[in-house]
Amino acid sequence: MSNAVIVGTQWGDEGKAKVIDYLTERSDLVIRFQGGANAGHTVIANRRKFIFHLVPSGIMYPDKVCIVGNGVVFDAEQFLKEVDELDAVGISVAERLFVSDVAHLVLPYHKSLDTARESSMGKEKIGTTGRGIGPAYADKVSRTGIRVGDLADADLLTEKIRRGFERHRALTASIYKADFSLSLDEIIDQYAVIRQRMLPYIDDTAFRIFEAYGKGNRLLFEGAQGTFLDIDHGTYPFVTSANTIAGCACSGSGIGPAAIDHVIGIVKTYTTRVGNGPFPTELDNATGEMLRTQGGEFGATTGRSRRCGWFDSVMVRKAVQVNGLTHLALTKLDVLNNFDEICICTHYEIRGKRVDQFPSNPELINEALPVYESLPGWKSDIAQCRSYDELPAQARIYIERLRELCYNIPLLIVSVGPDRTQTIEVTPLT
Ligand code: IMP
């Protein structure tokens, strides 16, 4: 396999971790390039469940090098917690886990501000994960952030934390009228310990990736969230604070676009969303509830129930377009096992007109009425299917129709269960 980027095509939680895990076997370096501890990647291996928020899930393979790239906003406390959890089960990360020195830190005051801002917004609130993502990216683009490399200099770090703390305290109190219960001394003490522990991981990761690429190592770029949470192309303002699309793999890691051979879009066979914002195919009824329970649709980061609805091809067509997808990977097909009827949204009707492209205007998205095509379900357990031909005919018809509505791009895999082995390879990467 050559170099591939994996991205979500919906609102995140498409089951990317499973596909990342599958492709990691064929890669040398696994690289996170955006987002932060708002992501929650669940991997099931050897009947054990692991949830990663920051450490690339490729770490489960002992011979892989994992990188947290510059595009990530980095919560060092969370990262070290994950390192400790891995250590407790005997997985060593020494000399194979690196964090970009120019990634920006998420400090406790970013989380406080995130929560205070959300609380002040009432019905307008975004429904963030509360992990400080927006305020940390805001500091980065305002050029007032603290970078991972700053952890190397104790005095400079303390001074920068002090300035950041004062700024956020003033903002929280004056604009959001919220209590700022954090203690500067405690944060400084906490970071005196964190900085020592972080030193072995800090690296010029862009150079490390460049060198590995030059040697012919295979790179896997692990996206977080999904296309419709992208700050530019998503359902703004109900989005995260980063670009989530495939192009960001380059800016968020420091490699040029010519290095990317494949762009794989992860597509859940139905749609979910956590947090607020428009969702044209949302089912606020017993069918939505059935998708939620059969699919275990509860957030890995916040534990919130996910909103559920039918597959929306209008969205995934846009994801094909803005990511330049070369392959689709279909996940959670088994969740549809028990449905008599399965619907696919082929297009929207907005103000009496047929609409095939996902609108950028939030008012139009809010008014979009999904138009469905109904297909019969297969009503059987597919968990044991290991080849495409073993799938029931109705399942294959569903997949083919879904592909047809999404520019017919090749299908990499179909996932029929959470375990590594429950994966049907359709068109392997070259
Ligand atoms: P933030 O990224 O915490 O600021 O949250 C902004 C929006 O993105 C909220 O609707 C979150 O629920 C959503 N979000 C952030 N990360 C994820 C993710 O990994 N999966 C799904 N939704 C996410």
Side-chain angles (χ1 to χ4, degrees), residues 11-13 38-40 114 126-131 133-134 225 229 238-241 273-276 304:
W11 279 293
D13 309 314
N38 50 352
D114 192 357
I126 290 162
T128 71
T129 58
R131 298 294 181 111
I133 305 299
Q225 290 88 46
L229 290 173
F238 298 99
V239 291
T240 190
S241 300
R273 172 162 210 171
V274 261
N276 299 334
R304 289 179 289 181

Side-chain angles (χ1 to χ4, degrees), residues 79-120:
F79 173 83
L80 293 171
K81 209 164 116 195
E82 289 172 36
V83 166
D84 289 343
E85 279 165 19
L86 288 163
D87 194 46
V89 293
I91 298 173
S92 165
V93 301
E95 302 295 323
R96 63 186 194 96
L97 178 59
F98 301 98
V99 183
S100 167
D101 55 355
V102 293
H104 278 247
L105 290 174
V106 177
L107 274 294
Y109 49 73
H110 291 127
K111 296 180 209 171
S112 272
L113 183 62
D114 192 357
T115 314
R117 186 155 61 195
E118 281 283 276
S119 308
S120 76

Side-chain angles (χ1 to χ4, degrees), residues 194-206:
I194 285 177
R195 67 168 287 277
Q196 286 291 348
R197 289 200 61 199
M198 277 302 303
L199 294 178
Y201 304 105
I202 305 174
D203 191 48
D204 177 353
T205 53

Side-chain angles (χ1 to χ4, degrees), residues 149-429:
D150 294 331
L151 294 169
D153 182 334
D155 294 338
L156 179 73
L157 177 70
T158 301
E159 178 52 24
K160 287 193 172 185
I161 291 179
R162 196 186 57 70
R163 275 190 254 144
F165 180 91
E166 294 303 348
R167 210 176 41 251
H168 283 77
R169 178 162 64 181
L171 209 60
T172 308
S174 65
I175 299 186
Y176 302 114
K177 314 279 180 241
D179 204 21
F180 195 73
S181 54
L182 297 172
S183 144
L184 175 60
D185 289 342
E186 273 174 30
I187 298 175
I188 289 174
D189 290 349
Q190 182 193 18
Y191 270 76
V193 179
I194 285 177
R195 67 168 287 277
Q196 286 291 348
R197 289 200 61 199
M198 277 302 303
L199 294 178
Y201 304 105
I202 305 174
D203 191 48
D204 177 353
T205 53
F207 184 64
R208 184 176 291 276
I209 297 168
F210 176 75
E211 267 200 324
Y213 174 57
K215 286 184 198 149
N217 284 350
R218 299 154 305 173
L219 314 177
L220 181 65
F221 296 88
E222 166 177 337
Q225 290 88 46
T227 300
F228 289 84
L229 290 173
D230 183 280
I231 185 84
D232 292 299
H233 303 285
T235 46
Y236 192 89
F238 298 99
V239 291
T240 190
S241 300
N243 283 114
T244 59
I245 58 166
C248 183
C250 294
S251 57
S253 70
I255 194 105
I260 311 294
D261 302 294
H262 307 290
V263 184
I264 298 150
I266 314 303
V267 179
K268 187 148 63 179
T269 47
Y270 51 98
T271 313
T272 62
R273 172 162 210 171
V274 261
N276 299 334
F279 182 171
T281 65
E282 181 169 19
L283 297 168
D284 193 10
N285 59 18
T287 309
E289 188 54 40
M290 186 160 159
L291 284 169
R292 185 174 308 114
T293 46
Q294 307 268 309
E297 296 295 351
F298 302 93
T301 302
T302 57
R304 289 179 289 181
S305 286
R306 296 180 185 142
R307 300 156 64 193
C308 296
W310 292 124
F311 176 77
D312 184 345
S313 73
V314 187
M315 288 177 68
V316 178
R317 279 198 292 276
K318 174 157 180 171
V320 173
Q321 175 207 320
V322 295
N323 291 292
L325 297 184
T326 60
H327 294 78
L328 297 183
L330 280 193
T331 61
K332 296 189 119 175
L333 185 66
D334 53 303
V335 171
L336 302 178
N337 282 347
N338 299 321
F339 287 84
D340 294 322
E341 165 195 53
I342 300 170
C343 294
I344 297 185
C345 168
T346 54
H347 59 278
Y348 302 146
E349 202 180 285
I350 304 176
R351 299 180 185 170
K353 290 207 178 88
R354 177 185 172 118
V355 173
D356 289 279
Q357 316 301 342
F358 196 84
S360 47
N361 177 340
E363 274 181 41
L364 295 181
I365 306 170
N366 276 328
E367 290 178 39
L369 300 171
V371 178
Y372 291 114
E373 210 170 87
S374 163
L375 282 84
W378 44 93
K379 303 279 286 180
S380 60
D381 187 2
I382 58 169
Q384 303 310 322
C385 295
R386 291 294 177 274
S387 74
Y388 194 71
D389 293 341
E390 280 174 49
L391 287 171
Q394 290 305 343
R396 280 181 275 131
I397 290 170
Y398 176 70
I399 293 172
E400 291 311 323
R401 182 63 181 135
L402 185 155
R403 278 193 58 218
E404 191 176 34
L405 288 164
C406 301
Y407 302 109
N408 254 323
I409 59 174
L411 195 56
L412 176 71
I413 60 156
V414 178
S415 169
V416 294
D419 200 79
R420 266 183 191 166
T421 58
Q422 293 174 305
T423 305
I424 297 174
E425 201 165 41
V426 186
T427 318
L429 295 185

Side-chain angles (χ1 to χ4, degrees), residues 17 21 41-45 48-52 57 60 420:
D21 185 55
H41 284 176
T42 310
V43 175
I44 299 190
R48 289 186 66 153
K49 187 170 166 181
F50 298 86
I51 300 178
F52 298 107
S57 34
M60 302 303 288
R420 266 183 191 166

